[in-house]
Amino acid sequence: MVNDPVPLLLSRATELLEAEFGALPAFEATADLESVARVLQATAHRLGDNYPYFHPLYAGQMLKPPHAVARAAYALAMTVNPNNHARDGGRASSEMEIEAVSEIAGMFGWKDGAGSYLGHLTSSGTLANLEALWVAGQLAPGKRIVGSEQAHYTHQRISAVLKLEFTPIAADERGRMDLDALEAELRHGDVGTVVVTLGTTAIGAVDALDGVLKLKTRYGSRVHVDGAYGGYFRLIAEDRDEGSLDGAARRAYRATVDADSLVIDPHKHGLQPYGCGCVLFRDPAVGRFYKHDSPYTYFTSRQLHLGEISLECSRAGAAAVALWATHQLLPLTPGGEFARGLRSGRAAALELDRRLRNDGRFEVLAGAGPELDIVVWKVKAESAERASELAHKVFAACATRDLHLALVQLPQFWFEPGAEAGLVTCLRSVLMKPEHAVWMDRIWDRLSAACGEVLGV
Ligand SMILES: Cc1ncc(COP(=O)(O)O)c(C=O)c1O
């Protein structure tokens, strides 16, 4: 945040935007600026009571700072405050949303063209997944939704809201949906949709989408991909050098082109402020489920209003403006700057995993290293209870050194094949920031010192 460029960028752009409306008669803004400034000072003070999410030493949960261009574009859009429900409320920003969504679709191999797909932004990954499972339920009423037990908990909750039964499928020791267990469920003949996660929340595991699509040809269920976290890694799936994705993950990402629906969160890895999810449907004909009349809107244009293909009504047009601007600066191209940022976070994760493996105080996943950019590890101890207790202590000792990690409960057999059933609390680090790689020595020194204090070694 030091030398934040956004205020300066914004003041220049704001002048230009005001000039766009320069033909209107001037009017007095009503705000009492002195009072506003006073309240803003108090606001800044209150906001100091946060973890420093923007800093490379914040390496805990899935929190990636929005890019300066996204923050500035979002704030700029606030002058107009467009509503992407209808073109009546957000003419330019609706167009920007359609363009931005088409770039995301293109990343998955879904090309633009008449009737090629349907998609829009949402307020969150939860809302995007809700729409995908709602459509799935319309297409197969009463049939079950199944997904890995490691799928985000939102799928169980959404299914309950939609009154659809959700069945969790066992995950293997690398946190990926077990395809034999999935096939056993599919054989019952009552599964409407399989949820495939590309990048699980806990450890960034990548379910075998290619394998699930093969099962689809045999059993006919719909396949929904939850790439809320990991979707953007599609951009590096063709890389073949050191640190690129492993073969299984690569095959899974390549298969996205054949999914029935896809969710991705620009507000996770896409450098966007919160309030930006995205859902895509392969078959645009599912738009019929959204069909409704509005007595209030849809008057100003015969073109598609995004509210006609979205369950949400009002939506922040600013989210679309910020995403569009980010794509102008950092196009979603393999090998481009945005893709290099993903590679950098992954390099940091591989490096942290390597250091942990070489340090006798820790245990890492027995199966293999991180599939994306999330690292998890256990503190070595004589029992799972003791390891969990120590993880909490190391977490707290790191925080006193300004290193912010996260905790996660994972099955013990992921660390020790054959271990008894049960969970152990582990440390977890989501290394999403491109800067994490160059900060790895400083991250490691703090982690190592914190462990020294807790373990005495
Ligand atoms: C894989 C996955 N799906 C869905 C979600 C829910 O997304 P949101 O928090 O944007 O509602 C998350 C959030 O972490 C996630 O990791």
Side-chain angles (χ1 to χ4, degrees):
M1 276 289 232
V2 185
N3 298 327
D4 187 356
V6 169
L8 182 63
L9 292 167
L10 196 52
S11 74
R12 285 193 200 135
T14 304
E15 273 175 37
L16 283 177
L17 178 55
E18 279 175 2
E20 291 286 326
F21 294 97
L24 289 170
F27 73 105
E28 283 294 307
T30 47
D32 159 6
L33 292 188
E34 259 177 45
S35 305
V36 172
R38 221 176 19 254
V39 171
L40 272 180
Q41 280 170 21
T43 310
H45 184 60
R46 286 298 292 268
L47 283 172
D49 180 26
N50 263 312
Y51 293 107
Y53 306 116
F54 52 86
H55 196 280
L57 284 177
Y58 184 87
Q61 306 282 2
M62 291 173 172
L63 287 144
K64 186 174 185 175
H67 195 279
V69 75
R71 286 170 52 213
Y74 196 105
L76 183 65
M78 282 299 95
T79 309
V80 185
N81 193 24
N83 181 344
N84 274 16
H85 170 223
R87 285 172 192 257
D88 312 42
R91 195 163 57 217
S93 52
S94 291
E95 279 304 320
M96 289 159 119
E97 175 164 340
I98 291 165
E99 288 171 34
V101 168
S102 121
E103 276 149 39
I104 289 178
M107 175 174 78
F108 291 116
W110 294 19
K111 297 282 174 256
D112 266 350
S116 55
Y117 68 87
L118 197 75
H120 59 273
L121 299 181
T122 60
S123 317
S124 66
T126 297
L127 259 296
N129 278 302
L130 173 87
E131 293 203 17
L133 296 191
W134 171 70
V135 164
Q138 302 290 309
L139 287 165
K143 289 206 166 183
R144 281 187 296 155
I145 311 279
V146 302
S148 163
E149 61 190 6
Q150 287 292 316
H152 194 276
Y153 65 76
T154 195
H155 294 287
Q156 297 229 21
R157 297 216 302 184
I158 290 169
S159 301
V161 169
L162 297 172
K163 300 208 176 339
L164 297 168
E165 191 186 335
F166 180 92
T167 309
I169 308 288
D172 66 16
E173 74 290 350
R174 292 193 64 187
R176 304 187 289 209
M177 182 157 57
D178 180 329
L179 294 196
D180 292 335
L182 172 63
E183 185 162 14
E185 289 297 336
L186 292 174
R187 276 198 206 102
H188 293 297
D190 63 344
V191 173
T193 300
V194 182
V195 175
V196 175
T197 308
L198 297 186
T200 58
T201 316
I203 68 164
V206 178
D207 285 344
L209 175 60
D210 48 324
V212 176
L213 286 165
K214 278 192 196 125
L215 292 174
K216 174 186 162 140
T217 56
R218 207 169 310 152
Y219 298 97
S221 313
R222 195 174 165 77
V223 175
H224 168 62
V225 170
D226 181 358
Y229 182 72
Y232 282 100
F233 283 86
R234 176 66 188 89
L235 276 181
I236 66 164
E238 305 301 337
D239 295 2
R240 285 303 189 98
D241 48 1
E242 204 192 323
S244 56
L245 300 184
D246 74 13
R250 211 180 293 141
R251 285 192 296 280
Y253 276 103
R254 280 199 190 127
T256 48
V257 69
D258 293 320
D260 293 302
S261 53
L262 273 163
V263 160
I264 181 167
D265 267 0
H267 71 196
K268 290 195 172 58
H269 251 304
L271 297 166
Q272 297 309 296
Y274 282 113
C276 195
C278 177
V279 63
L280 299 168
F281 295 100
R282 192 84 197 81
D283 177 7
V286 303
R288 68 187 182 279
F289 298 121
Y290 287 92
K291 203 166 163 33
H292 64 284
D293 289 322
S294 165
Y296 323 107
T297 46
Y298 310 153
F299 292 118
T300 56
S301 169
R302 285 189 174 284
Q303 284 178 290
L304 179 77
H305 299 266
L306 289 162
E308 294 179 280
I309 55 156
S310 165
L311 282 188
E312 292 175 86
C313 294
S314 294
R315 269 185 314 108
V321 172
L323 184 62
W324 181 90
T326 308
H327 287 174
Q328 303 307 299
L329 188 74
L330 303 168
L332 300 178
T333 42
E337 190 180 337
F338 180 82
R340 285 201 299 279
L342 297 174
R343 286 293 303 260
S344 180
R346 178 158 165 72
L350 293 175
E351 176 59 18
L352 177 57
D353 182 69
R354 188 189 66 75
R355 293 184 191 210
L356 291 163
R357 273 173 207 276
N358 290 329
D359 190 312
R361 296 172 293 181
F362 308 115
E363 275 178 71
V364 290
L365 295 177
E371 280 200 86
L372 300 180
D373 56 2
I374 302 178
V375 187
V376 289
W377 67 101
K378 219 183 107 175
V379 182
K380 247 186 210 159
E382 63 283 3
S383 68
E385 291 70 34
R386 181 73 182 136
S388 300
E389 202 183 302
L390 290 172
H392 281 277
K393 288 191 173 157
V394 171
F395 170 81
C398 285
T400 63
R401 290 166 172 79
D402 287 328
L403 173 63
H404 300 286
L405 300 173
L407 294 165
V408 63
Q409 287 194 310
L410 299 174
Q412 286 190 70
F413 80 91
W414 288 10
F415 295 89
E416 286 165 58
E420 58 190 67
L423 299 174
V424 57
T425 306
C426 304
L427 289 143
R428 168 170 169 265
S429 179
V430 181
L431 293 159
M432 311 174 79
K433 297 184 187 115
E435 298 81 13
H436 276 139
V438 290
W439 277 73
M440 189 43 63
D441 282 341
R442 285 167 279 190
I443 290 172
W444 180 259
D445 288 348
R446 283 168 169 81
L447 171 62
S448 190
C451 286
E453 179 192 313
V454 171
L455 306 172
V457 280

